[in-house]
Amino acid sequence: MNTELTSSSVTDLLRLLDSGEVTAVSLIEAYLSRIAAESSLNALTTVFGSEALAEAESQDAASARGERLGPLAGIPITIKDSIPTAGLLTTCNSRSRENWVPTTEPLSVTRVREAGAIVLAKATPNEFLGIPSADDLFPPPRNPFNRDHVAIGSSSGSGVAVAAGLCAASIGTDSAGSVRLPAGQNGLTGLKATRGRVPSSSGAVEPTLQVIGALTRTVDDSRLLFEVLTGSSPTSVTADVSDRSSDQASSISSAPRIGVPRRYIETSPVEDEIGAAFDAALSSAEAAGARLLDVRPRGWAEGRMATFVVLYTEAHFSHRAWLKRAGGGYGRSARLYSLQGAFISASDYLHSLAYGNHLRDSVEALFDEVDVIATPTSPYVTAEAARRPGEHRKGLNTVFTGVFNLTGHPAVTIDCGRSASGIPIGLQLVGRLGSDEQLLAYAKAVSDAIGG
Amino acid sequence: MSERQQIAGGAAPAPDELASTLQGLAVLDETDLDELTEMVVSLRQLANAVELSLEEHACVAPSEEAVTT
């Protein structure tokens, strides 16, 4: 088994494919071997082995004919199994959709597939928006850094799959942190883009909070996937990556002003290990030239509350027809979580949206003083701590992430250390609305400073 | 005002509200009904806290414009 290939970044794999040092078929074979060896992680629901090999053979043949391939040609990816994929089984980890093969998919997913990425498998999600329960279709993924613990979600399988070398990148969804939290807990980069930049639904109504995003091994990979998801990717592959990296690096300050909401962090339920890793990362960034400035955000706690009112109300809307048709197939947790929004009034829902608009403006004003805002990604190290029922229902596990789904600001997590249990700890950087490319450039600079 | 003070006051759904809202969507046993009730109370507390905060910030002061069709 070639573990070097299965631990390489997307950017490095593209170079190897471009130079002919590896073929798409050999890459897919390496990853399928790894998947077979790591089935106990429960990271994947459905593996499309023969389909992936056939696609790789087709791409190798096209390459041999001198045809120009897409910017992700040959890259083995997984897609969270709650994201509809046209023509591919999409179970949502729910018995209610055990045999569902959608005919449509979000435009951003189509872009990834048309860019040549090869879908190896669907990655295990939480069943819809609940917490894992015994009657889910598949068991919960284990954390590859410490298999005594389950993995944080809801894009838990995506995070585990990338970290364990079962794919080179994974596409997940983030409605309150579900790309950033599993990326952070698996030592990865995960970007939640500015609302509206990544087409994130194939449904009749675009959810307010949900953003499709990639979980990757490096910040460079995150940028590459972001460009494909947004439809802004150039047609050439490796040469342009370094060119764009230079362009973006030159557009950011060499002494970035990092805003740190100390008071908000101190009054949040942050575990000691998280706080220590966060402080150490900021010290490294400061030593590399960053300036740390205290910022005093207002209303973030209520913003997190409003996020969950919107999330559960819209979730009930999206599940209502399925509950009527196949509610018996829902696991206990998913059934209850998808029902609670039925008891929220239209007025409550609109108040929460209004709060989001108010907060969006006040968060945006903070960027008059700083270039990015830094927080821990998760207040808790383990998924078990994040899922304590009383806290999970109030969204305390998303105390740093959820508010930016409501305001729409871009936010990215990068790796910033390890807990005593070996489980990685993430650091979140938040940027001005629409500044996703700059935010990734700052993330790259901070990641380099802290040795990521 | 602390978060704890702000999230006081979520109302539990009355039995007839539970029954009518769940009709056609789910048949729940007593244990599930109890847990759903707790979840609804918690969610309504969050909604109340958001409304209180909005009023504090005068973001939704009574509008001078009448809402008409």
Side-chain angles (χ1 to χ4, degrees):
Chain A
M1 190 184 306
N2 191 334
T3 53
E4 192 174 330
L5 281 182
T6 55
S7 60
S8 296
S9 68
V10 172
T11 311
D12 285 343
L13 291 177
L14 286 171
R15 288 197 180 96
L16 291 171
L17 286 161
D18 198 44
S19 67
E21 290 174 69
V22 299
T23 63
V25 167
S26 64
L27 201 51
I28 295 299
E29 286 173 341
Y31 275 91
L32 287 174
S33 295
R34 182 88 181 141
I35 287 171
E38 289 287 11
S39 59
S40 64
L41 284 171
N42 305 327
L44 307 174
T45 56
T46 309
V47 179
F48 306 107
S50 57
E51 295 91 336
L53 278 170
E55 175 65 22
E57 285 171 8
S58 171
Q59 291 190 9
D60 284 341
S63 179
R65 292 192 299 271
E67 292 178 20
R68 192 177 188 83
L69 302 177
L72 292 177
I75 298 300
I77 65 160
T78 60
I79 298 176
K80 183 179 183 180
D81 202 15
S82 59
I83 301 176
T85 41
L88 296 177
L89 183 64
T90 301
T91 73
C92 304
N93 195 8
S94 176
R95 295 182 195 283
S96 69
R97 304 193 194 185
E98 200 166 355
N99 301 304
W100 185 41
V101 179
T103 55
T104 60
E105 63 191 9
L107 174 59
S108 53
V109 171
T110 301
R111 286 172 175 161
V112 171
R113 297 175 74 177
E114 288 183 346
I118 296 175
V119 182
L120 268 181
K122 299 300 285 289
T124 311
N126 292 355
E127 185 189 12
F128 306 122
L129 66 165
I131 55 179
S133 61
D135 45 6
D136 292 351
L137 186 57
F138 297 97
R142 314 298 303 183
N143 189 294
F145 294 86
N146 185 331
R147 298 176 191 226
D148 291 338
H149 293 277
V150 293
I152 212 161
S154 63
S155 307
S156 46
S158 289
V160 173
V162 179
L166 313 186
C167 61
S170 189
I171 306 300
T173 61
D174 190 318
S175 295
S178 291
V179 162
R180 289 161 287 163
L181 292 168
Q185 206 208 27
N186 284 285
L188 306 173
T189 299
L191 171 70
K192 182 205 76 70
T194 299
R195 177 159 56 235
R197 292 205 65 181
V198 177
S200 294
S201 172
S202 55
V205 177
E206 184 92 9
T208 301
L209 306 171
Q210 178 175 286
V211 180
I212 284 178
L215 296 88
T216 60
R217 296 194 180 113
T218 68
V219 178
D220 284 340
D221 286 359
S222 185
R223 188 185 63 249
L224 193 60
L225 269 293
F226 170 74
E227 289 172 347
V228 172
L229 288 165
T230 55
S232 58
S233 179
T235 51
S236 61
V237 186
T238 50
D240 283 1
V241 171
S242 55
D243 289 350
R244 291 195 301 282
S245 181
S246 301
D247 290 347
Q248 288 164 357
S250 65
S251 71
I252 66 169
S253 168
S254 58
R257 299 166 300 166
I258 300 178
V260 185
R262 283 281 173 207
R263 171 78 181 145
Y264 183 75
I265 294 169
E266 286 166 7
T267 55
S268 298
V270 180
E271 291 179 344
D272 290 345
E273 286 185 294
I274 301 274
F278 177 70
D279 288 341
L282 289 184
S283 294
S284 297
E286 190 173 32
R291 285 179 288 158
L292 306 183
L293 301 169
D294 188 37
V295 291
R296 298 290 181 95
R298 296 187 61 186
W300 284 12
E302 293 81 0
R304 183 250 308 159
M305 298 175 195
T307 301
F308 277 79
V309 174
V310 172
L311 176 66
Y312 291 138
T313 307
E314 293 186 357
H316 179 74
F317 167 79
S318 70
H319 282 279
R320 194 172 172 85
W322 277 95
L323 283 166
K324 285 181 178 173
R325 191 164 65 204
Y330 277 60
R332 181 173 185 274
S333 171
R335 184 184 304 119
L336 296 180
Y337 269 82
S338 59
L339 284 170
Q340 59 182 320
F343 298 88
I344 287 296
S345 71
S347 175
D348 285 338
Y349 172 70
L350 291 170
H351 271 113
S352 290
L353 288 178
Y355 199 85
N357 290 340
H358 157 69
L359 206 54
R360 177 196 60 215
D361 297 340
S362 73
V363 170
E364 193 68 358
L366 296 173
F367 293 106
D368 292 342
E369 309 295 329
V370 299
D371 298 305
V372 291
I373 295 169
T375 71
T377 303
S378 167
Y380 308 119
V381 171
T382 66
E384 289 83 357
R387 290 173 182 159
R388 288 188 288 254
E391 298 178 25
H392 189 266
R393 283 177 201 152
K394 291 179 178 174
L396 290 182
N397 57 317
T398 68
V399 69
F400 298 119
T401 50
V403 67
F404 304 112
N405 293 78
L406 187 67
T407 65
H409 286 82
V412 62
T413 186
I414 56 175
D415 186 24
C416 82
R418 296 287 178 276
S419 66
S421 63
I423 294 174
I425 293 171
L427 178 147
Q428 177 179 247
L429 295 172
V430 184
R432 194 184 275 280
L433 285 168
S435 73
D436 304 66
E437 292 86 351
Q438 272 203 334
L439 175 64
L440 287 170
Y442 281 119
K444 168 81 171 161
V446 173
S447 180
D448 288 347
I450 62 180
Chain B
M1 187 183 294
S2 72
E3 179 172 312
R4 186 178 294 275
Q5 287 170 306
Q6 287 190 347
I7 63 175
D16 59 339
E17 183 190 2
L18 271 172
S20 63
T21 305
L22 295 177
Q23 191 170 20
L25 294 177
V27 178
L28 303 181
D29 62 24
E30 283 301 316
T31 305
D32 285 354
L33 276 174
D34 287 346
E35 183 161 352
L36 179 62
T37 298
E38 282 180 30
M39 294 166 83
V40 171
V41 169
S42 181
L43 190 58
R44 286 177 170 175
Q45 286 173 340
L46 300 187
N48 287 349
V50 171
E51 184 175 353
L52 276 172
S53 186
L54 266 177
E55 288 171 359
E56 262 181 47
H57 291 96
C59 297
V60 285
S63 173
E64 293 179 10
E65 294 179 30
V67 177
T68 66
T69 52

